[in-house]
């Protein structure tokens, strides 16, 4: 390993933008399909991986949802989550905030209770066996109706203490945050925090809507915010975190080359940017590979890596005391390296 690889591998960090269904590695997908007596559309792991060649968000989503279709039992959700936790444990991720998409499963007849119980049980084991703290974010599929979203929130209320925030993901263009204003009003009243994917493919206007109508605590992606100077000022002034996903951006052609990825510009403009993996099984890397890709392509300094790791804790939903502890750990690592 080179010097910067070692430095990235060892630095304590949090992950804040991770879809649990996007951690479904082909090997586990075939194993779970087999034990559930389901047939995947692909004959082999190699065939499946050949399909991971996306030109945009929608082409990815079609494959991502079809992969998730083999998840049926609580144990499947446990195994999926546990595999992810073991992986990030090896990458010095100390805290993770994961999205799950209940509608992907409830529409296939898999009850909400099985999905959330499997994930939650693995997260508890992540804390006790691996020392990884976590938060769970329920994400609403924006291509579906407001009615379906209300049904999902109803299901979630029974498990309120397991869920920290409500998010918004899936096909962005044509599905602005305003479509879910009433949903987010309800969940804010219920005491949930809110986040939303915005400005990945959609225009800066969608980021404004997420801020003003959904009262989000963070913007997921947010790349296209840079097209609007007033918006950049607002995000910087309010220290609204952006959960940026470099390898995702490259694979979904949100950026055409890593050397022109906007992460460095975001940091230069005083934005609270963080580095995350989004859907690591599909985009070719977990969080450390994402740090490394931008570190190489943008020639990031050690100090910028430290800034990104520090931001990951500042931007997290950890309690303030725990945040400070984690930030001290990052500083201690920096000074000892
Ligand atoms: N964007 C929108 N929806 C998603 C994504 C993403 O990057 N990953 C999983 N669902
Ligand atoms: Zn995402």
């Amino acid at each position: 390993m080179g010097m910067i690889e070692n430095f990235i591998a060892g630095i304590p960090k949090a992950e804040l933008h991770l879809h649990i269904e996007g951690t479904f590695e082909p090997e586990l997908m075939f194993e779970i399909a087999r034990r559930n007596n389901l047939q995947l559309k692909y004959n082999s792991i190699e065939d499946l991986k050949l399909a991971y060649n996306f030109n945009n968000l929608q082409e990815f989503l079609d494959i991502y949802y079809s992969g998730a279709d083999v998840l049926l039992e609580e144990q499947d959700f446990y195994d999926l989550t546990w595999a992810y936790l073991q992986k990030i444990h090896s990458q010095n991720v100390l805290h993770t905030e994961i999205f799950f998409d209940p509608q992907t499963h409830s529409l296939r007849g898999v009850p909400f209770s099985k999905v959330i119980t499997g994930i939650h049980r693995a997260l508890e084991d992540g804390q006790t066996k691996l020392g990884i703290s976590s938060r769970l974010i329920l994400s609403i599929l924006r291509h579906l109706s407001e009615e379906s979203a209300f049904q999902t929130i109803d299901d979630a209320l029974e498990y309120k203490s397991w869920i920290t925030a409500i998010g918004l993901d899936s096909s962005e263009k044509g599905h602005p945050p305003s479509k879910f204003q009433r949903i987010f009003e309800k969940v804010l009243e219920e005491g949930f925090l809110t986040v939303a994917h915005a400005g990945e493919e959609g225009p800066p206007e969608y980021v404004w809507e997420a801020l003003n109508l959904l009262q989000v605590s963070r913007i997921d992606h947010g790349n296209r915010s840079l097209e609007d100077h007033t918006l950049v000022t607002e995000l910087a002034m309010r220290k609204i975190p952006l959960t940026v996903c470099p390898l995702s951006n490259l694979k979904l052609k949100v950026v055409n080359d890593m050397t022109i990825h906007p992460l460095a510009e975001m940091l230069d403009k005083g934005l609270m940017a963080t580095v995350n993996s989004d859907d690591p099984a599909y985009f070719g890397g977990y969080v450390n590979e994402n740090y490394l890709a931008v570190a190489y392509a943008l020639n990031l300094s050690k100090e910028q890596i430290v800034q990104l790791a520090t931001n990951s804790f500042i931007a997290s939903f950890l309690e303030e005391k725990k945040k400070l502890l984690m930030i001290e750990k990052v500083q201690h690592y920096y000074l000892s390296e």
Side-chain angles (χ1 to χ4, degrees):
M1 264 203 285
M3 207 176 70
I4 196 76
E5 273 169 283
N6 269 319
F7 188 71
I8 287 169
I11 199 166
K13 60 188 80 69
E15 172 146 72
L16 306 178
H17 185 157
L18 181 281
H19 302 265
I20 200 62
E21 294 89 349
T23 69
F24 207 2
E25 292 288 351
E27 291 76 10
L28 185 61
M29 193 182 289
F30 274 89
E31 184 188 324
I32 290 182
R34 183 166 7 93
R35 76 189 187 203
N36 286 338
N37 295 310
L38 292 168
Q39 188 68 46
L40 283 162
K41 269 201 311 206
Y42 305 90
N43 289 321
S44 67
I45 289 170
E46 293 67 38
D47 273 3
L48 174 62
K49 284 184 177 167
L50 284 175
Y52 292 3
N53 210 330
F54 318 111
N55 289 302
N56 53 49
L57 174 59
Q58 193 58 52
E59 287 186 15
F60 156 69
L61 290 170
D62 292 342
I63 287 189
Y64 159 86
Y65 293 132
S66 83
D69 278 355
V70 303
L71 297 162
L72 295 184
E73 305 299 335
E74 182 189 316
Q75 191 63 37
D76 302 342
F77 292 93
Y78 178 93
D79 291 348
L80 177 69
T81 308
W82 183 243
Y84 164 70
L85 290 167
Q86 284 178 299
K87 178 72 192 181
I88 64 168
H89 185 54
S90 75
Q91 296 205 341
N92 284 303
V93 175
L94 303 186
H95 176 74
T96 184
E97 303 192 352
I98 76 174
F99 293 114
F100 73 119
D101 291 340
Q103 289 154 297
T104 300
H105 314 297
S106 55
L107 290 175
R108 300 181 289 113
V110 178
F112 187 94
S113 58
K114 282 192 184 179
V115 178
I116 196 166
T117 306
I119 296 171
H120 179 78
R121 207 156 49 76
L123 293 179
E124 282 192 327
D125 284 350
Q127 179 64 261
T128 56
K129 297 180 180 166
L130 306 173
I132 299 171
S133 56
S134 58
R135 298 287 185 272
L136 195 49
I137 307 173
L138 184 163
S139 204
I140 294 293
L141 298 184
R142 70 203 304 160
H143 68 280
L144 300 177
S145 66
E146 184 194 45
E147 187 191 355
S148 172
F150 269 121
Q151 178 59 58
T152 307
I153 297 305
D154 264 357
D155 291 342
L157 289 177
E158 260 185 78
Y159 296 90
K160 207 170 168 179
S161 66
W162 291 357
I163 302 167
T164 300
I166 306 298
L168 190 62
D169 67 359
S170 193
S171 323
E172 187 178 10
K173 284 194 263 180
H175 302 285
S178 52
K179 178 177 169 185
F180 297 97
Q181 184 173 355
R182 298 199 312 162
I183 298 287
F184 278 68
E185 279 167 1
K186 178 182 166 90
V187 303
L188 286 161
E189 259 172 48
E190 292 283 353
F192 295 103
L193 295 167
T194 61
V195 297
H197 283 53
E200 182 185 18
E201 287 187 345
E205 185 54 41
Y206 286 17
V207 179
W208 280 116
E209 284 190 11
L211 291 173
N212 294 334
L213 305 182
L214 311 187
Q215 293 176 45
V216 294
S217 301
R218 301 195 292 247
I219 297 287
D220 297 310
H221 295 296
N223 299 46
R224 291 192 60 192
S225 306
L226 293 172
E227 295 169 23
D228 180 338
H229 296 297
T230 315
L231 178 56
V232 170
T233 306
E234 177 84 4
L235 292 167
M237 222 171 47
R238 293 179 53 196
K239 297 185 166 60
I240 300 284
L242 305 182
T243 62
V244 179
C245 306
L247 288 172
S248 166
N249 291 160
L250 191 66
K251 297 287 178 188
L252 302 187
K253 300 190 168 32
V254 168
V255 301
N256 291 322
D257 194 289
M258 204 58 101
T259 58
I260 53 167
H261 192 282
L263 182 73
E265 185 185 349
M266 289 169 173
L267 292 177
D268 288 346
K269 293 193 161 153
L271 295 173
M272 180 65 65
T274 63
V275 168
N276 310 274
S277 71
D278 208 3
D279 302 283
Y282 292 93
F283 300 146
Y286 286 77
V287 68
N288 284 358
E289 288 80 17
N290 275 273
Y291 272 79
L292 196 58
V294 279
Y296 277 143
L298 304 175
N299 222 337
L300 298 184
S301 64
K302 258 188 171 183
E303 288 68 28
Q304 284 174 306
I305 305 291
V306 170
Q307 184 67 63
L308 289 165
T310 303
N311 287 357
S312 75
F313 291 111
I314 297 174
S316 75
F317 293 140
L318 284 165
E319 51 275 30
E320 290 302 317
K321 232 175 71 184
K322 184 95 189 282
K323 277 190 196 185
L324 291 176
L325 261 167
M326 293 291 129
I327 293 163
E328 274 172 26
K329 273 191 200 239
V330 176
Q331 272 304 310
H332 183 263
Y333 175 82
Y334 175 47
L335 297 174
S336 71
E337 281 297 301

